[in-house]
Amino acid sequence: MRSRRRFAAVALTAGLGCFTLFLVLVAWLPGSLGSSVFRGLTLAYGLGLSQFVLVGVITWAYLRRTARVFDPLEPAARGRPAVVAR
């Protein structure tokens, strides 16, 4: 439980930190973020889309960690002996 809670805290901090940074940049640098970086794509739009990429990476990392670390620990957390699937 502690391992899962620690992972969730780190993922939440990373996600909210990046989103907060995005909002702060939009509020303080609207002119700079409105500049085009690639074929009409603005910096603000690119940063906004990066939030979806971040959510995808965090989800992938959580699912991978669940399969490798959390699932094998579940029987012990319930007080039952672990059964190894082959």
Side-chain angles (χ1 to χ4, degrees):
M1 297 287 284
R2 196 173 321 144
S3 177
R4 184 177 284 197
R5 190 174 297 125
R6 190 175 333 119
F7 183 87
V10 170
L12 178 68
T13 302
L16 287 178
C18 287
F19 185 66
T20 302
L21 178 64
F22 171 68
L23 292 179
V24 168
L25 287 174
V26 167
W28 281 341
L29 302 171
S32 299
L33 293 177
S35 60
S36 179
V37 291
F38 180 74
R39 294 187 181 183
L41 179 72
T42 64
L43 186 57
Y45 196 69
L47 289 173
L49 289 176
S50 72
Q51 298 297 313
F52 291 101
V53 173
L54 178 66
V55 168
V57 168
I58 289 173
T59 302
W60 171 80
Y62 180 77
L63 292 174
R64 185 172 184 215
R65 183 136 175 125
T66 295
R68 293 182 177 193
V69 177
F70 302 147
D71 284 348
L73 294 175
E74 185 178 345
R78 291 183 179 189
R80 300 180 189 156
V83 177
V84 178
R86 294 182 188 234

